[in-house]
PDB file of all heavy atoms in Angstrom:
ATOM      1  N   GLU J   1       0.816  -1.198   0.017  1.00  0.00           N
ATOM      2  CA  GLU J   1       0.043   0.024   0.084  1.00  0.00           C
ATOM      3  C   GLU J   1       0.899   1.204  -0.030  1.00  0.00           C
ATOM      4  O   GLU J   1       0.589   2.219  -0.652  1.00  0.00           O
ATOM      5  CB  GLU J   1      -0.906   0.044   1.242  1.00  0.00           C
ATOM      6  CG  GLU J   1      -1.988  -1.011   1.165  1.00  0.00           C
ATOM      7  CD  GLU J   1      -2.685  -1.282   2.518  1.00  0.00           C
ATOM      8  OE1 GLU J   1      -2.117  -0.787   3.608  1.00  0.00           O
ATOM      9  OE2 GLU J   1      -3.808  -1.816   2.542  1.00  0.00           O
ATOM     10  N   TYR J   2       1.918   1.249   0.842  1.00  0.00           N
ATOM     11  CA  TYR J   2       2.857   2.365   0.874  1.00  0.00           C
ATOM     12  C   TYR J   2       3.457   2.697  -0.546  1.00  0.00           C
ATOM     13  O   TYR J   2       3.441   3.830  -0.905  1.00  0.00           O
ATOM     14  CB  TYR J   2       3.943   2.220   1.932  1.00  0.00           C
ATOM     15  CG  TYR J   2       4.899   3.238   2.028  1.00  0.00           C
ATOM     16  CD1 TYR J   2       4.595   4.469   2.605  1.00  0.00           C
ATOM     17  CD2 TYR J   2       6.183   3.068   1.517  1.00  0.00           C
ATOM     18  CE1 TYR J   2       5.525   5.490   2.663  1.00  0.00           C
ATOM     19  CE2 TYR J   2       7.097   4.179   1.460  1.00  0.00           C
ATOM     20  CZ  TYR J   2       6.793   5.407   2.149  1.00  0.00           C
ATOM     21  OH  TYR J   2       7.666   6.304   2.108  1.00  0.00           O
ATOM     22  N   VAL J   3       3.853   1.654  -1.117  1.00  0.00           N
ATOM     23  CA  VAL J   3       4.596   1.803  -2.406  1.00  0.00           C
ATOM     24  C   VAL J   3       3.600   2.170  -3.479  1.00  0.00           C
ATOM     25  O   VAL J   3       3.850   3.055  -4.237  1.00  0.00           O
ATOM     26  CB  VAL J   3       5.327   0.515  -2.854  1.00  0.00           C
ATOM     27  CG1 VAL J   3       5.749   0.596  -4.338  1.00  0.00           C
ATOM     28  CG2 VAL J   3       6.436   0.216  -1.926  1.00  0.00           C
ATOM     29  N   ASP J   4       2.402   1.794  -3.504  1.00  0.00           N
ATOM     30  CA  ASP J   4       1.355   2.125  -4.459  1.00  0.00           C
ATOM     31  C   ASP J   4       1.107   3.656  -4.212  1.00  0.00           C
ATOM     32  O   ASP J   4       0.982   4.321  -5.175  1.00  0.00           O
ATOM     33  CB  ASP J   4       0.120   1.358  -4.279  1.00  0.00           C
ATOM     34  CG  ASP J   4       0.188  -0.080  -4.844  1.00  0.00           C
ATOM     35  OD1 ASP J   4       1.125  -0.307  -5.634  1.00  0.00           O
ATOM     36  OD2 ASP J   4      -0.652  -0.863  -4.477  1.00  0.00           O
ATOM     37  N   GLN J   5       0.911   4.056  -3.050  1.00  0.00           N
ATOM     38  CA  GLN J   5       0.534   5.470  -2.723  1.00  0.00           C
ATOM     39  C   GLN J   5       1.757   6.440  -3.104  1.00  0.00           C
ATOM     40  O   GLN J   5       1.639   7.486  -3.558  1.00  0.00           O
ATOM     41  CB  GLN J   5       0.268   5.595  -1.225  1.00  0.00           C
ATOM     42  CG  GLN J   5      -1.188   5.017  -0.882  1.00  0.00           C
ATOM     43  CD  GLN J   5      -2.315   5.538  -1.821  1.00  0.00           C
ATOM     44  OE1 GLN J   5      -2.757   4.849  -2.543  1.00  0.00           O
ATOM     45  NE2 GLN J   5      -2.454   6.815  -1.673  1.00  0.00           N
ATOM     46  N   LEU J   6       3.032   5.877  -2.842  1.00  0.00           N
ATOM     47  CA  LEU J   6       4.188   6.765  -3.135  1.00  0.00           C
ATOM     48  C   LEU J   6       4.328   6.767  -4.648  1.00  0.00           C
ATOM     49  O   LEU J   6       4.562   7.965  -5.182  1.00  0.00           O
ATOM     50  CB  LEU J   6       5.443   6.012  -2.538  1.00  0.00           C
ATOM     51  CG  LEU J   6       6.719   6.770  -2.497  1.00  0.00           C
ATOM     52  CD1 LEU J   6       6.613   8.063  -1.784  1.00  0.00           C
ATOM     53  CD2 LEU J   6       7.842   5.890  -1.956  1.00  0.00           C
ATOM     54  N   LEU J   7       4.112   5.857  -5.364  1.00  0.00           N
ATOM     55  CA  LEU J   7       4.085   5.820  -6.873  1.00  0.00           C
ATOM     56  C   LEU J   7       3.061   6.808  -7.407  1.00  0.00           C
ATOM     57  O   LEU J   7       3.244   7.500  -8.319  1.00  0.00           O
ATOM     58  CB  LEU J   7       3.999   4.468  -7.534  1.00  0.00           C
ATOM     59  CG  LEU J   7       5.312   3.495  -7.293  1.00  0.00           C
ATOM     60  CD1 LEU J   7       5.031   2.225  -7.920  1.00  0.00           C
ATOM     61  CD2 LEU J   7       6.456   4.097  -8.111  1.00  0.00           C
ATOM     62  N   ALA J   8       1.777   6.626  -6.883  1.00  0.00           N
ATOM     63  CA  ALA J   8       0.714   7.470  -7.304  1.00  0.00           C
ATOM     64  C   ALA J   8       0.964   9.017  -6.992  1.00  0.00           C
ATOM     65  O   ALA J   8       0.671   9.795  -7.873  1.00  0.00           O
ATOM     66  CB  ALA J   8      -0.542   7.053  -6.574  1.00  0.00           C
ATOM     67  N   THR J   9       1.605   9.244  -5.947  1.00  0.00           N
ATOM     68  CA  THR J   9       1.935  10.690  -5.509  1.00  0.00           C
ATOM     69  C   THR J   9       3.058  11.090  -6.515  1.00  0.00           C
ATOM     70  O   THR J   9       2.993  12.258  -7.042  1.00  0.00           O
ATOM     71  CB  THR J   9       2.469  10.707  -4.121  1.00  0.00           C
ATOM     72  OG1 THR J   9       1.324  10.300  -3.253  1.00  0.00           O
ATOM     73  CG2 THR J   9       2.762  12.161  -3.680  1.00  0.00           C
ATOM     74  N   ALA J  10       3.988  10.342  -6.723  1.00  0.00           N
ATOM     75  CA  ALA J  10       5.069  10.854  -7.736  1.00  0.00           C
ATOM     76  C   ALA J  10       4.535  10.953  -9.129  1.00  0.00           C
ATOM     77  O   ALA J  10       4.875  12.016  -9.779  1.00  0.00           O
ATOM     78  CB  ALA J  10       6.144   9.739  -7.758  1.00  0.00           C
ATOM     79  N   GLU J  11       3.565  10.144  -9.473  1.00  0.00           N
ATOM     80  CA  GLU J  11       2.962  10.293 -10.934  1.00  0.00           C
ATOM     81  C   GLU J  11       2.170  11.592 -10.878  1.00  0.00           C
ATOM     82  O   GLU J  11       2.171  12.284 -11.928  1.00  0.00           O
ATOM     83  CB  GLU J  11       1.975   9.040 -11.071  1.00  0.00           C
ATOM     84  CG  GLU J  11       1.461   8.982 -12.443  1.00  0.00           C
ATOM     85  CD  GLU J  11       0.525   7.698 -12.589  1.00  0.00           C
ATOM     86  OE1 GLU J  11      -0.636   7.787 -12.111  1.00  0.00           O
ATOM     87  OE2 GLU J  11       1.172   6.739 -12.997  1.00  0.00           O
ATOM     88  N   THR J  12       1.451  11.978  -9.767  1.00  0.00           N
ATOM     89  CA  THR J  12       0.684  13.177  -9.750  1.00  0.00           C
ATOM     90  C   THR J  12       1.639  14.397  -9.893  1.00  0.00           C
ATOM     91  O   THR J  12       1.462  15.288 -10.651  1.00  0.00           O
ATOM     92  CB  THR J  12      -0.026  13.299  -8.525  1.00  0.00           C
ATOM     93  OG1 THR J  12      -1.031  12.214  -8.462  1.00  0.00           O
ATOM     94  CG2 THR J  12      -0.792  14.624  -8.375  1.00  0.00           C
ATOM     95  N   LEU J  13       2.706  14.319  -9.181  1.00  0.00           N
ATOM     96  CA  LEU J  13       3.691  15.465  -9.096  1.00  0.00           C
ATOM     97  C   LEU J  13       4.350  15.693 -10.321  1.00  0.00           C
ATOM     98  O   LEU J  13       4.737  16.815 -10.703  1.00  0.00           O
ATOM     99  CB  LEU J  13       4.701  15.379  -7.823  1.00  0.00           C
ATOM    100  CG  LEU J  13       4.043  15.324  -6.464  1.00  0.00           C
ATOM    101  CD1 LEU J  13       5.173  14.977  -5.547  1.00  0.00           C
ATOM    102  CD2 LEU J  13       3.408  16.663  -6.206  1.00  0.00           C
ATOM    103  N   LEU J  14       4.691  14.582 -11.050  1.00  0.00           N
ATOM    104  CA  LEU J  14       5.364  14.707 -12.358  1.00  0.00           C
ATOM    105  C   LEU J  14       4.425  14.857 -13.515  1.00  0.00           C
ATOM    106  O   LEU J  14       4.919  15.013 -14.637  1.00  0.00           O
ATOM    107  CB  LEU J  14       6.223  13.419 -12.438  1.00  0.00           C
ATOM    108  CG  LEU J  14       7.333  13.182 -11.450  1.00  0.00           C
ATOM    109  CD1 LEU J  14       7.954  11.890 -11.750  1.00  0.00           C
ATOM    110  CD2 LEU J  14       8.405  14.331 -11.648  1.00  0.00           C
ATOM    111  N   SER J  15       3.168  14.840 -13.311  1.00  0.00           N
ATOM    112  CA  SER J  15       2.146  14.884 -14.469  1.00  0.00           C
ATOM    113  C   SER J  15       2.054  16.355 -14.998  1.00  0.00           C
ATOM    114  O   SER J  15       1.575  16.465 -16.130  1.00  0.00           O
ATOM    115  CB  SER J  15       0.700  14.478 -13.977  1.00  0.00           C
ATOM    116  OG  SER J  15       0.221  15.318 -13.067  1.00  0.00           O
ATOM    117  N   ASP J  16       2.454  17.301 -14.200  1.00  0.00           N
ATOM    118  CA  ASP J  16       2.260  18.632 -14.688  1.00  0.00           C
ATOM    119  C   ASP J  16       3.353  19.503 -14.004  1.00  0.00           C
ATOM    120  O   ASP J  16       3.420  19.451 -12.867  1.00  0.00           O
ATOM    121  CB  ASP J  16       0.907  19.152 -14.375  1.00  0.00           C
ATOM    122  CG  ASP J  16       0.531  20.510 -14.936  1.00  0.00           C
ATOM    123  OD1 ASP J  16       1.330  21.423 -14.876  1.00  0.00           O
ATOM    124  OD2 ASP J  16      -0.660  20.658 -15.467  1.00  0.00           O
ATOM    125  N   PRO J  17       4.047  20.393 -14.736  1.00  0.00           N
ATOM    126  CA  PRO J  17       5.004  21.207 -14.078  1.00  0.00           C
ATOM    127  C   PRO J  17       4.596  22.122 -12.941  1.00  0.00           C
ATOM    128  O   PRO J  17       5.368  22.328 -11.993  1.00  0.00           O
ATOM    129  CB  PRO J  17       5.413  22.188 -15.269  1.00  0.00           C
ATOM    130  CG  PRO J  17       5.243  21.416 -16.569  1.00  0.00           C
ATOM    131  CD  PRO J  17       3.878  20.627 -16.201  1.00  0.00           C
ATOM    132  N   ARG J  18       3.314  22.453 -12.948  1.00  0.00           N
ATOM    133  CA  ARG J  18       2.795  23.307 -11.757  1.00  0.00           C
ATOM    134  C   ARG J  18       2.733  22.454 -10.504  1.00  0.00           C
ATOM    135  O   ARG J  18       2.896  23.029  -9.418  1.00  0.00           O
ATOM    136  CB  ARG J  18       1.385  23.868 -12.108  1.00  0.00           C
ATOM    137  CG  ARG J  18       0.225  22.822 -12.137  1.00  0.00           C
ATOM    138  CD  ARG J  18      -1.052  23.468 -12.285  1.00  0.00           C
ATOM    139  NE  ARG J  18      -2.032  22.334 -12.045  1.00  0.00           N
ATOM    140  CZ  ARG J  18      -3.190  22.250 -12.738  1.00  0.00           C
ATOM    141  NH1 ARG J  18      -3.610  23.183 -13.487  1.00  0.00           N
ATOM    142  NH2 ARG J  18      -3.925  21.206 -12.521  1.00  0.00           N
ATOM    143  N   HIS J  19       2.585  21.094 -10.588  1.00  0.00           N
ATOM    144  CA  HIS J  19       2.663  20.297  -9.415  1.00  0.00           C
ATOM    145  C   HIS J  19       4.124  20.200  -9.105  1.00  0.00           C
ATOM    146  O   HIS J  19       4.522  20.100  -7.892  1.00  0.00           O
ATOM    147  CB  HIS J  19       2.088  18.956  -9.691  1.00  0.00           C
ATOM    148  CG  HIS J  19       0.637  18.978  -9.946  1.00  0.00           C
ATOM    149  ND1 HIS J  19      -0.292  19.542  -9.113  1.00  0.00           N
ATOM    150  CD2 HIS J  19      -0.061  18.500 -10.956  1.00  0.00           C
ATOM    151  CE1 HIS J  19      -1.527  19.308  -9.642  1.00  0.00           C
ATOM    152  NE2 HIS J  19      -1.416  18.667 -10.777  1.00  0.00           N
ATOM    153  N   PHE J  20       4.962  19.879 -10.049  1.00  0.00           N
ATOM    154  CA  PHE J  20       6.444  19.554  -9.773  1.00  0.00           C
ATOM    155  C   PHE J  20       7.095  20.725  -9.181  1.00  0.00           C
ATOM    156  O   PHE J  20       7.961  20.510  -8.186  1.00  0.00           O
ATOM    157  CB  PHE J  20       7.045  19.224 -11.057  1.00  0.00           C
ATOM    158  CG  PHE J  20       8.534  18.707 -10.917  1.00  0.00           C
ATOM    159  CD1 PHE J  20       8.662  17.453 -10.467  1.00  0.00           C
ATOM    160  CD2 PHE J  20       9.507  19.456 -11.299  1.00  0.00           C
ATOM    161  CE1 PHE J  20      10.092  16.977 -10.190  1.00  0.00           C
ATOM    162  CE2 PHE J  20      10.797  19.008 -11.098  1.00  0.00           C
ATOM    163  CZ  PHE J  20      11.096  17.821 -10.600  1.00  0.00           C
ATOM    164  N   PHE J  21       6.827  21.951  -9.631  1.00  0.00           N
ATOM    165  CA  PHE J  21       7.590  23.053  -9.116  1.00  0.00           C
ATOM    166  C   PHE J  21       6.929  23.830  -7.846  1.00  0.00           C
ATOM    167  O   PHE J  21       7.444  24.733  -7.393  1.00  0.00           O
ATOM    168  CB  PHE J  21       7.890  24.145 -10.209  1.00  0.00           C
ATOM    169  CG  PHE J  21       8.770  23.568 -11.258  1.00  0.00           C
ATOM    170  CD1 PHE J  21       8.390  23.218 -12.428  1.00  0.00           C
ATOM    171  CD2 PHE J  21      10.169  23.404 -10.993  1.00  0.00           C
ATOM    172  CE1 PHE J  21       9.312  22.695 -13.477  1.00  0.00           C
ATOM    173  CE2 PHE J  21      11.007  22.941 -11.866  1.00  0.00           C
ATOM    174  CZ  PHE J  21      10.493  22.601 -13.213  1.00  0.00           C
ATOM    175  N   ARG J  22       5.824  23.241  -7.412  1.00  0.00           N
ATOM    176  CA  ARG J  22       5.160  23.994  -6.259  1.00  0.00           C
ATOM    177  C   ARG J  22       5.866  23.496  -4.979  1.00  0.00           C
ATOM    178  O   ARG J  22       6.446  22.355  -4.954  1.00  0.00           O
ATOM    179  CB  ARG J  22       3.677  23.457  -6.219  1.00  0.00           C
ATOM    180  CG  ARG J  22       2.968  23.881  -5.013  1.00  0.00           C
ATOM    181  CD  ARG J  22       1.507  23.461  -5.059  1.00  0.00           C
ATOM    182  NE  ARG J  22       0.933  23.736  -3.803  1.00  0.00           N
ATOM    183  CZ  ARG J  22      -0.013  23.087  -3.170  1.00  0.00           C
ATOM    184  NH1 ARG J  22      -0.565  22.093  -3.872  1.00  0.00           N
ATOM    185  NH2 ARG J  22      -0.435  23.351  -2.011  1.00  0.00           N
ATOM    186  N   SER J  23       5.907  24.287  -4.069  1.00  0.00           N
ATOM    187  CA  SER J  23       6.591  24.071  -2.817  1.00  0.00           C
ATOM    188  C   SER J  23       5.502  23.490  -1.831  1.00  0.00           C
ATOM    189  O   SER J  23       4.675  24.114  -1.261  1.00  0.00           O
ATOM    190  CB  SER J  23       7.120  25.339  -2.136  1.00  0.00           C
ATOM    191  OG  SER J  23       7.729  24.973  -0.939  1.00  0.00           O
ATOM    192  N   TYR J  24       5.510  22.065  -1.688  1.00  0.00           N
ATOM    193  CA  TYR J  24       4.571  21.352  -0.817  1.00  0.00           C
ATOM    194  C   TYR J  24       5.031  21.318   0.625  1.00  0.00           C
ATOM    195  O   TYR J  24       6.289  21.085   0.895  1.00  0.00           O
ATOM    196  CB  TYR J  24       4.270  19.981  -1.393  1.00  0.00           C
ATOM    197  CG  TYR J  24       3.564  19.920  -2.530  1.00  0.00           C
ATOM    198  CD1 TYR J  24       4.096  19.819  -3.809  1.00  0.00           C
ATOM    199  CD2 TYR J  24       2.098  19.864  -2.500  1.00  0.00           C
ATOM    200  CE1 TYR J  24       3.428  19.823  -4.959  1.00  0.00           C
ATOM    201  CE2 TYR J  24       1.347  19.837  -3.616  1.00  0.00           C
ATOM    202  CZ  TYR J  24       1.977  19.730  -4.897  1.00  0.00           C
ATOM    203  OH  TYR J  24       1.200  19.705  -5.987  1.00  0.00           O
ATOM    204  N   SER J  25       4.145  21.519   1.549  1.00  0.00           N
ATOM    205  CA  SER J  25       4.600  21.340   2.978  1.00  0.00           C
ATOM    206  C   SER J  25       4.496  19.794   3.356  1.00  0.00           C
ATOM    207  O   SER J  25       4.032  18.994   2.610  1.00  0.00           O
ATOM    208  CB  SER J  25       3.585  21.981   3.857  1.00  0.00           C
ATOM    209  OG  SER J  25       2.277  21.371   3.785  1.00  0.00           O
ATOM    210  N   ALA J  26       5.199  19.438   4.408  1.00  0.00           N
ATOM    211  CA  ALA J  26       5.361  18.131   4.837  1.00  0.00           C
ATOM    212  C   ALA J  26       3.909  17.527   5.087  1.00  0.00           C
ATOM    213  O   ALA J  26       3.568  16.389   4.739  1.00  0.00           O
ATOM    214  CB  ALA J  26       6.050  17.967   6.144  1.00  0.00           C
ATOM    215  N   ALA J  27       3.026  18.391   5.610  1.00  0.00           N
ATOM    216  CA  ALA J  27       1.682  18.043   5.878  1.00  0.00           C
ATOM    217  C   ALA J  27       0.851  17.702   4.594  1.00  0.00           C
ATOM    218  O   ALA J  27       0.056  16.637   4.488  1.00  0.00           O
ATOM    219  CB  ALA J  27       0.885  19.093   6.634  1.00  0.00           C
ATOM    220  N   GLU J  28       1.139  18.532   3.544  1.00  0.00           N
ATOM    221  CA  GLU J  28       0.419  18.248   2.237  1.00  0.00           C
ATOM    222  C   GLU J  28       0.921  16.956   1.639  1.00  0.00           C
ATOM    223  O   GLU J  28       0.198  16.196   1.017  1.00  0.00           O
ATOM    224  CB  GLU J  28       0.570  19.480   1.373  1.00  0.00           C
ATOM    225  CG  GLU J  28      -0.108  19.355   0.070  1.00  0.00           C
ATOM    226  CD  GLU J  28      -1.629  19.246   0.159  1.00  0.00           C
ATOM    227  OE1 GLU J  28      -2.203  19.496   1.194  1.00  0.00           O
ATOM    228  OE2 GLU J  28      -2.264  18.963  -0.851  1.00  0.00           O
ATOM    229  N   ILE J  29       2.245  16.735   1.634  1.00  0.00           N
ATOM    230  CA  ILE J  29       2.848  15.435   1.130  1.00  0.00           C
ATOM    231  C   ILE J  29       2.365  14.339   1.857  1.00  0.00           C
ATOM    232  O   ILE J  29       1.952  13.347   1.176  1.00  0.00           O
ATOM    233  CB  ILE J  29       4.361  15.543   1.123  1.00  0.00           C
ATOM    234  CG1 ILE J  29       5.030  16.655   0.213  1.00  0.00           C
ATOM    235  CG2 ILE J  29       4.886  14.182   0.774  1.00  0.00           C
ATOM    236  CD1 ILE J  29       4.772  16.499  -1.228  1.00  0.00           C
ATOM    237  N   GLY J  30       2.194  14.356   3.103  1.00  0.00           N
ATOM    238  CA  GLY J  30       1.665  13.397   3.921  1.00  0.00           C
ATOM    239  C   GLY J  30       0.242  13.061   3.605  1.00  0.00           C
ATOM    240  O   GLY J  30      -0.280  11.895   3.514  1.00  0.00           O
ATOM    241  N   ARG J  31      -0.629  14.154   3.375  1.00  0.00           N
ATOM    242  CA  ARG J  31      -1.966  13.981   2.966  1.00  0.00           C
ATOM    243  C   ARG J  31      -2.047  13.317   1.578  1.00  0.00           C
ATOM    244  O   ARG J  31      -2.857  12.378   1.362  1.00  0.00           O
ATOM    245  CB  ARG J  31      -2.689  15.267   2.979  1.00  0.00           C
ATOM    246  CG  ARG J  31      -4.238  15.251   2.712  1.00  0.00           C
ATOM    247  CD  ARG J  31      -4.818  16.529   2.357  1.00  0.00           C
ATOM    248  NE  ARG J  31      -4.398  17.019   1.130  1.00  0.00           N
ATOM    249  CZ  ARG J  31      -4.773  16.643  -0.174  1.00  0.00           C
ATOM    250  NH1 ARG J  31      -5.612  15.546  -0.221  1.00  0.00           N
ATOM    251  NH2 ARG J  31      -4.322  17.090  -1.301  1.00  0.00           N
ATOM    252  N   LEU J  32      -1.222  13.658   0.691  1.00  0.00           N
ATOM    253  CA  LEU J  32      -1.201  13.131  -0.689  1.00  0.00           C
ATOM    254  C   LEU J  32      -0.961  11.748  -0.649  1.00  0.00           C
ATOM    255  O   LEU J  32      -1.513  10.796  -1.332  1.00  0.00           O
ATOM    256  CB  LEU J  32      -0.291  13.805  -1.583  1.00  0.00           C
ATOM    257  CG  LEU J  32      -0.628  15.261  -2.001  1.00  0.00           C
ATOM    258  CD1 LEU J  32       0.501  15.942  -2.720  1.00  0.00           C
ATOM    259  CD2 LEU J  32      -1.841  15.133  -2.959  1.00  0.00           C
ATOM    260  N   ILE J  33       0.086  11.287   0.058  1.00  0.00           N
ATOM    261  CA  ILE J  33       0.437   9.844   0.254  1.00  0.00           C
ATOM    262  C   ILE J  33      -0.543   9.013   0.938  1.00  0.00           C
ATOM    263  O   ILE J  33      -0.815   7.953   0.626  1.00  0.00           O
ATOM    264  CB  ILE J  33       1.903   9.777   0.767  1.00  0.00           C
ATOM    265  CG1 ILE J  33       2.894  10.392  -0.128  1.00  0.00           C
ATOM    266  CG2 ILE J  33       2.234   8.323   1.042  1.00  0.00           C
ATOM    267  CD1 ILE J  33       4.333  10.429   0.408  1.00  0.00           C
ATOM    268  N   ALA J  34      -1.115   9.632   1.986  1.00  0.00           N
ATOM    269  CA  ALA J  34      -2.017   8.796   2.893  1.00  0.00           C
ATOM    270  C   ALA J  34      -3.364   8.583   2.318  1.00  0.00           C
ATOM    271  O   ALA J  34      -4.108   7.749   2.686  1.00  0.00           O
ATOM    272  CB  ALA J  34      -2.014   9.409   4.250  1.00  0.00           C
TER     273      ALA J  34
END
């Protein structure tokens, strides 16, 4: 489950430059993965 969520988050962040270059907080990254 962890690996699936990590891959899905990476896929989202790399899908569009606006996601990739945004400065995400630790809380937001945690929310995206969880």
Side-chain angles (χ1 to χ4, degrees):
E1 292 168 344
Y2 176 75
V3 171
D4 284 344
Q5 289 306 112
L6 192 60
L7 288 173
T9 301
E11 188 175 84
T12 299
L13 294 177
L14 295 172
S15 69
D16 190 313
R18 72 174 184 211
H19 298 302
F20 185 75
F21 291 109
R22 182 178 163 206
S23 181
Y24 287 92
S25 67
E28 183 65 9
I29 293 292
R31 187 193 66 76
L32 287 170
I33 293 175

